[in-house]
Amino acid sequence: MKTRQIAIDGVSSSGKTTVGKIVAERLGYEFIDSGLLYRLATKIVLDRELPKERYAEALNGVSVDIVEGKIIVDGSVFPMDLLRTKEVDELVSPVSEDPKVREEITDLLRKIASSKNVVMVGRDIGSVVLKDAFLKVFLTATLEERANRRFKELFLRGENITFEEVYENLKKRDVIDSTREVAPLKVPEDAYVIDTTMLSIEEVVTLIFEFIKGKEYALRNSQNYSDTLF
């Protein structure tokens, strides 16, 4: 079965997850947040107190799938709130830097995308995981705006953290993500870039559907006419 993938990459708290979910729902595609798998690996590292040299063992022997936006671990739905704690936030980038962790998760993401139409969000989807994605989008925003968004999210969850801590965590993560040796955060050459700082969620979604229409128009004027979405 031929499937179609839409890759949405971007910096932390740029709106990838919120926007991706909406786009996926309107298209009837599966939404895949690749970051959740890295957070899952990080949570396991924390629970098992694995040292840095053993990060790659986190997902060994663990069955993982994503169905209707939920992570299924060994046949059971994993509680999402356990993946977005302050402790996970602080360690997820170092865990994600591990080449073996990235290789395992990349393989898993590709397997999922090969069996269904997906909107996949992350930091290296268009550049590494799904290089042949139908559409690639990269979201960005100012650090201040992203810190505000993340702080509000954590505050509403009752997390005891200051704005300054959130700001510094995001700043540190940007550096780690963009300078890691394996699959660093970067804008894919053929991606559409959207600065979400001053845009509403609906405005970003509207732009993405305009890009989809542009891709569809090109297909309608090629030999792949029958493979269009609309």
Side-chain angles (χ1 to χ4, degrees):
M1 178 182 71
K2 186 174 182 180
T3 60
R4 179 170 285 181
Q5 300 86 34
I6 293 177
I8 303 179
D9 291 303
V11 292
S12 297
S13 299
S14 57
K16 302 185 298 296
T17 301
T18 301
V19 168
K21 284 181 178 178
I22 295 172
V23 173
E25 181 179 0
R26 293 184 185 178
L27 289 174
Y29 283 17
E30 181 76 70
F31 173 71
I32 307 293
D33 181 355
S34 66
L36 291 179
L37 297 187
Y38 288 102
R39 286 178 172 274
L40 175 63
T42 303
K43 175 60 176 171
I44 295 174
V45 164
L46 288 167
D47 288 348
R48 297 181 182 174
E49 299 182 351
L50 296 176
K52 184 175 182 179
E53 62 272 14
R54 296 177 57 194
Y55 284 171
E57 297 178 19
L59 295 178
N60 285 357
V62 180
S63 172
V64 181
D65 196 4
I66 296 180
V67 179
E68 297 181 356
K70 300 180 178 65
I71 292 184
I72 310 300
V73 179
D74 293 333
S76 300
V77 176
F78 193 88
M80 293 293 196
D81 58 321
L82 298 182
L83 303 181
R84 295 195 176 280
T85 64
K86 178 181 177 181
E87 292 74 20
V88 172
D89 279 354
E90 292 175 346
L91 190 62
V92 65
S93 282
V95 171
S96 300
E97 279 190 293
D98 189 294
K100 292 184 179 179
V101 172
R102 300 204 69 83
E103 181 180 355
E104 185 167 357
I105 291 180
T106 293
D107 288 343
L108 176 58
L109 290 170
R110 286 173 178 163
K111 181 179 179 180
I112 294 172
S114 70
S115 63
K116 62 188 81 177
N117 294 323
V118 302
V119 174
M120 189 178 293
V121 304
R123 289 173 176 74
D124 64 345
I125 308 304
S127 59
V128 176
V129 181
L130 301 176
K131 291 183 178 180
D132 297 322
F134 169 73
L135 178 71
K136 299 178 185 179
V137 177
F138 190 95
L139 303 185
T140 187
T142 65
L143 180 57
E144 289 77 9
E145 175 61 21
R146 291 187 286 125
N148 272 318
R149 294 172 184 175
R150 184 66 176 143
F151 176 71
K152 289 177 182 177
E153 179 185 359
L154 293 173
F155 178 79
L156 291 175
R157 289 178 180 169
E159 290 280 344
N160 184 23
I161 190 170
T162 67
F163 173 81
E164 288 72 22
E165 288 178 300
V166 173
Y167 183 96
E168 290 302 319
N169 285 342
L170 282 176
K171 185 177 180 181
K172 184 186 302 182
R173 187 164 186 184
D174 284 349
V175 173
I176 293 174
D177 289 344
S178 61
T179 59
R180 62 174 176 246
E181 292 185 12
V182 179
L185 173 68
K186 64 179 181 179
V187 181
E189 292 183 3
D190 49 348
Y192 293 92
V193 179
I194 303 175
D195 186 333
T196 70
T197 304
M198 302 298 292
L199 298 178
S200 67
I201 293 170
E202 188 58 36
E203 286 173 327
V204 177
V205 171
T206 297
L207 280 173
I208 291 176
F209 272 91
E210 288 300 316
F211 299 150
I212 291 174
K213 289 178 182 178
K215 287 280 189 175
E216 289 296 341
Y217 179 81
L219 280 179
R220 289 192 177 100
N221 289 278
S222 72
Q223 60 183 359
N224 295 318
Y225 174 80
S226 62
D227 191 37
T228 57
L229 285 174
F230 306 113

Coordinates of all heavy atoms in Angstrom, one line a residue, residues 78-122:
F78 N 0.4 4.2 27.3 CA 1.3 4.8 28.3 C 0.8 6.2 28.7 O 0.4 7.0 27.8 CB 2.7 4.9 27.7 CG 3.8 5.2 28.7 CD1 4.5 4.2 29.3 CD2 4.2 6.5 29.0 CE1 5.5 4.5 30.3 CE2 5.1 6.8 29.9 CZ 5.8 5.8 30.6
P79 N 0.8 6.5 30.0 CA 0.3 7.8 30.4 C 1.2 9.0 29.9 O 2.3 9.0 30.2 CB 0.4 7.7 31.9 CG 0.5 6.2 32.2 CD 1.2 5.6 31.1
M80 N 0.6 9.8 29.1 CA 1.3 10.9 28.4 C 1.9 11.9 29.4 O 2.9 12.5 29.2 CB 0.4 11.6 27.4 CG 0.0 10.8 26.2 SD 1.3 10.4 25.1 CE 0.5 9.9 23.7
D81 N 1.2 12.1 30.5 CA 1.6 13.1 31.5 C 3.0 12.8 32.1 O 3.7 13.7 32.5 CB 0.6 13.4 32.6 CG 0.3 12.1 33.3 OD1 0.2 11.0 32.7 OD2 0.1 12.2 34.6
L82 N 3.3 11.5 32.1 CA 4.6 11.1 32.6 C 5.8 11.4 31.7 O 6.9 11.4 32.1 CB 4.6 9.6 32.9 CG 3.6 9.0 33.9 CD1 3.8 7.5 34.0 CD2 3.8 9.7 35.2
L83 N 5.5 11.8 30.5 CA 6.5 12.1 29.5 C 6.8 13.6 29.4 O 7.8 14.0 28.7 CB 6.1 11.7 28.1 CG 5.8 10.2 28.0 CD1 5.4 9.9 26.5 CD2 6.9 9.3 28.4
R84 N 6.1 14.5 30.1 CA 6.3 15.9 30.0 C 6.5 16.5 31.4 O 6.0 17.6 31.7 CB 5.1 16.6 29.3 CG 4.9 16.1 27.9 CD 4.0 17.0 27.1 NE 3.9 16.7 25.7 CZ 4.8 17.0 24.7 NH1 5.9 17.7 25.1 NH2 4.7 16.6 23.5
T85 N 7.3 15.9 32.2 CA 7.7 16.4 33.5 C 9.0 17.2 33.3 O 9.7 17.2 32.3 CB 8.0 15.3 34.5 OG1 9.1 14.5 34.0 CG2 6.7 14.4 34.6
K86 N 9.3 18.0 34.4 CA 10.5 18.8 34.4 C 11.8 17.9 34.2 O 12.7 18.2 33.5 CB 10.6 19.6 35.7 CG 11.9 20.4 35.8 CD 11.8 21.1 37.2 CE 13.1 21.9 37.4 NZ 13.1 22.6 38.7
E87 N 11.7 16.7 34.9 CA 12.9 15.8 34.9 C 13.1 15.3 33.5 O 14.3 15.2 33.0 CB 12.6 14.6 35.8 CG 12.6 15.0 37.3 CD 11.4 15.7 37.7 OE1 10.4 15.6 37.0 OE2 11.4 16.4 38.8
V88 N 12.1 14.9 32.8 CA 12.2 14.5 31.4 C 12.7 15.6 30.5 O 13.5 15.4 29.6 CB 10.9 13.9 30.9 CG1 10.9 13.6 29.4 CG2 10.5 12.6 31.6
D89 N 12.1 16.8 30.7 CA 12.5 18.0 29.9 C 14.1 18.2 29.9 O 14.7 18.5 29.0 CB 11.8 19.2 30.4 CG 10.4 19.4 29.9 OD1 10.0 18.6 29.0 OD2 9.7 20.3 30.3
E90 N 14.6 18.0 31.1 CA 16.0 18.3 31.4 C 16.9 17.2 30.8 O 18.1 17.5 30.5 CB 16.3 18.5 32.8 CG 15.6 19.7 33.4 CD 15.8 19.8 34.9 OE1 16.2 18.8 35.6 OE2 15.6 20.9 35.5
L91 N 16.4 16.0 30.6 CA 17.3 14.9 30.1 C 17.1 14.5 28.7 O 17.9 13.8 28.1 CB 17.2 13.7 31.1 CG 18.2 12.6 30.9 CD1 19.6 13.1 31.2 CD2 17.8 11.4 31.8
V92 N 16.0 14.9 28.1 CA 15.6 14.4 26.8 C 16.6 14.7 25.7 O 16.8 13.8 24.8 CB 14.2 14.8 26.4 CG1 14.1 16.3 26.2 CG2 13.7 14.1 25.2
S93 N 17.2 15.8 25.7 CA 18.2 16.2 24.7 C 19.4 15.3 24.8 O 19.9 14.8 23.8 CB 18.5 17.7 24.7 OG 17.5 18.4 24.1
P94 N 20.0 15.1 26.0 CA 21.2 14.2 26.1 C 20.9 12.8 25.6 O 21.7 12.2 24.9 CB 21.5 14.3 27.6 CG 21.1 15.6 28.0 CD 19.8 15.9 27.2
V95 N 19.7 12.3 26.0 CA 19.3 11.0 25.6 C 19.2 10.9 24.0 O 19.6 10.0 23.4 CB 18.0 10.5 26.3 CG1 17.5 9.2 25.6 CG2 18.2 10.3 27.8
S96 N 18.5 12.0 23.5 CA 18.3 12.0 22.1 C 19.6 12.1 21.3 O 19.6 11.8 20.1 CB 17.4 13.2 21.7 OG 16.2 13.1 22.4
E97 N 20.7 12.6 21.9 CA 21.9 12.7 21.2 C 22.6 11.3 20.9 O 23.4 11.2 20.1 CB 22.9 13.5 22.1 CG 22.8 15.0 22.0 CD 23.9 15.7 22.7 OE1 24.0 15.6 23.9 OE2 24.7 16.3 21.9
D98 N 22.2 10.3 21.7 CA 22.8 9.0 21.6 C 22.5 8.4 20.2 O 21.4 8.2 19.8 CB 22.3 8.1 22.6 CG 23.0 6.8 22.7 OD1 23.0 6.0 21.7 OD2 23.7 6.5 23.7
P99 N 23.6 8.2 19.4 CA 23.4 7.7 18.0 C 22.5 6.4 17.9 O 21.7 6.2 17.0 CB 24.8 7.4 17.5 CG 25.6 8.3 18.3 CD 25.0 8.3 19.7
K100 N 22.7 5.5 18.9 CA 22.0 4.2 18.9 C 20.5 4.4 19.2 O 19.6 3.7 18.7 CB 22.6 3.2 19.8 CG 24.0 2.7 19.3 CD 24.6 1.7 20.3 CE 25.9 1.2 19.8 NZ 26.5 0.2 20.7
V101 N 20.2 5.4 20.1 CA 18.9 5.7 20.4 C 18.2 6.3 19.2 O 17.1 5.9 18.9 CB 18.8 6.7 21.6 CG1 17.4 7.2 21.8 CG2 19.3 6.1 22.9
R102 N 18.9 7.2 18.5 CA 18.3 7.8 17.3 C 18.0 6.8 16.2 O 17.0 6.8 15.5 CB 19.2 9.0 16.8 CG 19.4 10.1 17.8 CD 19.7 11.4 17.1 NE 18.6 11.9 16.4 CZ 17.7 12.6 16.9 NH1 17.7 12.9 18.2 NH2 16.7 13.1 16.2
E103 N 19.0 5.9 16.1 CA 18.9 4.9 15.0 C 17.6 4.0 15.3 O 16.9 3.7 14.3 CB 20.1 4.0 15.0 CG 20.1 3.0 13.9 CD 21.4 2.1 13.8 OE1 22.3 2.5 14.6 OE2 21.4 1.2 13.0
E104 N 17.5 3.6 16.5 CA 16.4 2.7 16.8 C 15.0 3.4 16.6 O 14.1 2.8 16.1 CB 16.5 2.2 18.3 CG 15.5 1.1 18.6 CD 15.8 0.4 19.9 OE1 16.8 0.7 20.5 OE2 14.9 -0.4 20.4
I105 N 14.9 4.6 17.1 CA 13.7 5.4 17.0 C 13.4 5.7 15.5 O 12.2 5.7 15.1 CB 13.7 6.6 17.9 CG1 13.7 6.1 19.4 CG2 12.5 7.5 17.6 CD1 13.7 7.2 20.4
T106 N 14.4 6.1 14.8 CA 14.2 6.4 13.4 C 13.7 5.2 12.6 O 12.7 5.3 11.8 CB 15.6 6.8 12.7 OG1 16.0 8.1 13.3 CG2 15.4 7.0 11.2
D107 N 14.2 4.0 12.9 CA 13.7 2.8 12.2 C 12.3 2.6 12.6 O 11.4 2.2 11.8 CB 14.6 1.6 12.7 CG 15.9 1.6 12.0 OD1 16.1 2.3 11.0 OD2 16.8 0.9 12.5
L108 N 11.9 2.8 13.9 CA 10.6 2.6 14.3 C 9.6 3.5 13.6 O 8.5 3.2 13.2 CB 10.5 2.7 15.8 CG 9.1 2.7 16.5 CD1 8.4 1.3 16.2 CD2 9.2 2.9 18.0
L109 N 10.0 4.8 13.5 CA 9.2 5.8 12.9 C 8.9 5.5 11.4 O 7.8 5.7 10.9 CB 9.8 7.2 13.0 CG 9.8 7.8 14.5 CD1 10.7 9.0 14.5 CD2 8.4 8.1 14.9
R110 N 10.0 5.1 10.8 CA 9.8 4.7 9.3 C 8.9 3.5 9.2 O 8.1 3.5 8.2 CB 11.2 4.4 8.7 CG 12.1 5.6 8.5 CD 13.5 5.2 8.1 NE 14.3 6.4 7.8 CZ 15.6 6.4 7.7 NH1 16.3 5.2 7.9 NH2 16.3 7.5 7.5
K111 N 9.0 2.6 10.1 CA 8.1 1.4 10.0 C 6.6 1.8 10.1 O 5.7 1.4 9.4 CB 8.5 0.4 11.1 CG 7.6 -0.9 11.1 CD 8.1 -1.8 12.2 CE 7.2 -3.1 12.2 NZ 7.6 -4.0 13.3
I112 N 6.4 2.7 11.1 CA 5.0 3.2 11.3 C 4.5 3.9 10.1 O 3.4 3.7 9.6 CB 5.0 4.1 12.5 CG1 5.3 3.3 13.8 CG2 3.6 4.8 12.7 CD1 5.4 4.2 15.1
A113 N 5.4 4.8 9.5 CA 5.0 5.6 8.3 C 4.8 4.8 7.1 O 4.1 5.2 6.1 CB 6.0 6.7 8.1
S114 N 5.3 3.6 7.0 CA 5.2 2.8 5.8 C 3.9 2.1 5.8 O 3.5 1.6 4.7 CB 6.3 1.7 5.8 OG 6.1 0.7 6.8
S115 N 3.1 2.0 6.9 CA 1.9 1.3 6.9 C 0.6 2.2 6.9 O -0.5 1.7 6.9 CB 1.9 0.4 8.2 OG 1.9 1.2 9.3
K116 N 0.8 3.5 7.0 CA -0.4 4.4 7.1 C 0.0 5.8 6.6 O 1.2 6.2 6.6 CB -0.9 4.4 8.5 CG 0.1 5.0 9.5 CD -0.4 4.8 11.0 CE -0.2 3.4 11.5 NZ -0.6 3.2 12.9
N117 N -1.0 6.6 6.3 CA -0.7 8.0 6.0 C -0.5 8.7 7.3 O -1.3 8.6 8.2 CB -1.9 8.6 5.3 CG -2.2 8.0 3.9 OD1 -1.2 7.7 3.2 ND2 -3.4 7.8 3.5
V118 N 0.6 9.6 7.3 CA 0.9 10.2 8.6 C 1.2 11.7 8.5 O 1.7 12.1 7.4 CB 2.1 9.5 9.3 CG1 1.8 8.0 9.6 CG2 3.4 9.7 8.5
V119 N 1.0 12.4 9.5 CA 1.6 13.7 9.7 C 2.5 13.5 10.9 O 2.1 13.2 12.0 CB 0.5 14.8 10.1 CG1 1.2 16.1 10.5 CG2 -0.5 15.0 8.9
M120 N 3.8 13.6 10.6 CA 4.8 13.4 11.6 C 5.6 14.6 12.0 O 6.0 15.4 11.1 CB 5.8 12.3 11.1 CG 6.8 11.8 12.2 SD 7.9 10.4 11.6 CE 6.7 9.1 11.3
V121 N 5.7 14.9 13.3 CA 6.4 16.1 13.8 C 7.6 15.7 14.6 O 7.7 14.7 15.2 CB 5.5 17.0 14.6 CG1 4.2 17.4 13.9 CG2 5.1 16.3 15.9
G122 N 8.6 16.6 14.5 CA 9.9 16.3 15.2 C 10.9 17.4 14.9 O 10.6 18.5 14.6

